[in-house]
Amino acid sequence: MKIMPLEHRGISDSRLALGCMGLGGSWNRADDYTAEHVRQAEEAVEAALSIGITMYDHADIYTVGKAEAVFGQVLKNQPKLREQIVIQSKVGIQLSDGTLPARFNFSKKHILPSVDGILERLGTEYLDILLLHRPDPLMEPDEIAEAFTKLKLSGKVRNFGVSNMSPGQIRFLQRSLPDPIVVNQLEMSLLRHDWVDQGIHVNQKAGLKDNFPEGLMEFMQMENIQIQAWGPLAQGRFSGRPAEKASEAEINTAALVNQIANENETTPEAIVLAWLMKHPARIQPVIGTVNPARIIACQDAVRQSELMTREQWYTLLVSARGANMP
Ligand SMILES: NC(=O)c1ccc[n+]([C@@H]2O[C@H](COP(=O)([O-])OP(=O)(O)OC[C@H]3O[C@@H](n4cnc5c(N)ncnc54)[C@H](OP(=O)(O)O)[C@@H]3O)[C@@H](O)[C@H]2O)c1
């Protein structure tokens, strides 16, 4: 049986990752985190571990550093936990400080202290994976390579990856980097299904509207790079939290997800994730819920991805597209 690229590389066999963007309270710099936020993080991690999730996704900007800080408190309270889990974080976005606009920064001068900040907040000596968060148009691969080499040699970072990047950008970077890029994290779900549309619209007028990098799915599989899906639950749109102005396709798809979940005696969350996980690329969904019950509702996703028939997969796709196949 085919295994995930991260498992193949001996980094993680966790089929799901827990996204930690919802931890730590508000995005307001003036607010500090509280004991309640630490308790929330502890409960989320406990629920995730209980369903076999051993991979945790962070970014230095999440709740302006507080997501990592509360996670650090969880690690401090459970010293044996660090060795049992895989932690990845991201650098490269600078939030607006009120004067300058939000911007991207892959300079060595930005990357190195950012990683020190992450390690300090998490209270750990190393990150399993460091991702570059969003492509910086001013990136210089040789300079990034210098930063990565320093991080690797000092033991601060063990593996490197990217997020929201095209095959061309990955190739451009990889030419200079000493280590393989192991992850690319992108928005993918039953709502954001252009990752499938891009492939089926080749030679079709409809393809002019697709906004997913051409050939990315094939490139990632050929290069053995893990595809991680952010936003995989579509923020609950098909599993109990419809958008205020939901389209007809969304309403129909939510009903279909529920119907399949009922027939299979499982949860809508498991079906929504299973649809992503059935793809042969072995996509790893990064679920963003921090609600313990909702985390546990994702438990059956792997089994459902194995049970899902081609017919169900295509029926969900056509429903989500709101249009038949070309
Ligand atoms: N690389 C990138 O550029 C990037 C960008 C964004 C996010 N990410 C990562 O990906 C992770 C997941 O992203 P995401 O949070 O956008 O995705 P998601 O998993 O699709 O959505 C999770 C969000 O939806 C809410 N939700 C889900 N089902 C719900 C329901 N039935 N009722 C009410 N609320 C519901 C959750 O609230 P509750 O917590 O209350 O359940 C949570 O706020 C993040 O945590 C982060 O680690 C990466």
Side-chain angles (χ1 to χ4, degrees):
M1 173 141 172
K2 226 177 135 190
I3 60 170
M4 287 197 319
L6 283 179
E7 191 174 359
H8 178 84
R9 295 180 192 276
I11 300 171
S12 174
D13 63 359
S14 192
R15 291 296 309 276
L16 300 173
L18 185 76
C20 296
M21 190 170 72
L23 298 178
S26 82
W27 285 69
N28 188 337
R29 284 177 209 276
D31 298 339
D32 211 347
Y33 70 83
T34 64
E36 177 55 26
H37 295 127
V38 176
R39 196 183 58 79
Q40 179 195 40
E42 273 170 346
E43 287 178 3
V45 171
E46 193 184 327
L49 288 171
S50 78
I51 64 162
I53 296 180
T54 52
M55 178 142 190
Y56 294 83
D57 179 70
H58 283 273
D60 56 355
I61 58 166
Y62 290 166
T63 56
V64 288
K66 285 175 277 184
E68 288 172 339
V70 294
F71 203 90
Q73 292 302 311
V74 176
L75 292 174
K76 196 172 164 194
N77 294 342
Q78 300 176 59
K80 287 194 183 137
L81 182 61
R82 179 65 189 98
E83 293 306 317
Q84 294 162 15
I85 63 175
V86 165
I87 303 181
Q88 75 179 10
S89 191
K90 314 182 196 76
V91 293
I93 296 182
Q94 285 181 294
L95 296 171
S96 171
D97 55 7
T99 318
L100 292 168
R103 56 210 183 276
F104 307 145
N105 192 341
F106 288 0
S107 69
K108 187 176 163 188
K109 210 170 141 194
H110 178 73
I111 293 174
L112 293 177
S114 297
V115 171
D116 286 339
I118 292 170
L119 296 179
E120 197 181 324
R121 285 188 293 276
L122 288 170
T124 182
E125 285 173 4
Y126 67 96
L127 279 180
D128 296 279
I129 312 176
L130 175 72
L131 308 188
L132 296 172
H133 207 153
R134 279 191 185 276
D136 172 10
L138 301 181
M139 69 174 140
E140 296 192 40
D142 289 343
E143 186 185 352
I144 297 169
E146 274 178 41
F148 282 9
T149 301
K150 212 163 174 193
L151 291 169
K152 183 82 184 258
L153 291 177
S154 61
K156 291 179 183 175
V157 177
R158 295 185 175 175
N159 301 282
F160 300 91
V162 297
S163 178
N164 304 303
M165 284 207 193
S166 70
Q169 289 166 327
I170 294 176
R171 269 200 222 102
F172 178 56
L173 267 176
Q174 189 65 80
R175 251 181 20 165
S176 297
L177 299 183
D179 290 304
I181 288 171
V182 299
V183 163
N184 188 13
Q185 191 178 107
L186 303 127
E187 185 178 10
M188 298 163 84
S189 66
L190 252 181
L191 180 72
R192 184 72 204 271
H193 47 75
D194 50 357
W195 61 279
V196 184
D197 290 334
Q198 188 277 323
I200 61 180
H201 282 158
V202 169
N203 204 23
Q204 297 286 317
K205 257 192 191 156
L208 296 173
K209 288 196 212 131
D210 290 337
N211 193 24
F212 196 79
E214 190 182 340
L216 184 134
M217 296 305 291
E218 294 79 8
F219 174 78
M220 303 284 283
Q221 290 172 85
M222 288 191 298
E223 298 299 321
N224 209 19
I225 299 173
Q226 181 68 54
I227 302 177
Q228 291 180 336
W230 66 263
L233 292 169
Q235 290 79 39
R237 271 183 157 87
F238 307 114
S239 53
R241 188 174 69 166
E244 257 177 47
K245 290 185 184 154
S247 66
E248 204 183 324
E250 281 175 47
I251 294 167
N252 293 340
T253 307
L256 189 57
V257 165
N258 261 294
Q259 183 196 320
I260 299 174
N262 285 336
E263 283 165 8
N264 290 13
E265 297 182 352
T266 190
T267 60
E269 284 84 354
I271 298 301
V272 168
L273 298 174
W275 184 76
L276 279 173
M277 296 171 85
K278 183 173 170 65
H279 191 278
R282 310 286 285 174
I283 296 164
Q284 184 184 40
V286 182
I287 58 169
T289 175
V290 293
N291 173 325
R294 245 191 295 284
I295 293 171
I296 289 170
C298 299
Q299 174 169 24
D300 202 23
V302 178
R303 196 175 69 94
Q304 290 302 325
S305 70
E306 287 158 5
L307 291 176
M308 187 172 281
T309 62
R310 268 182 166 266
E311 289 69 27
Q312 285 171 328
W313 192 86
Y314 271 101
T315 306
L316 283 165
L317 172 63
V318 170
S319 173
R321 281 164 51 82
N324 283 324
M325 302 300 278

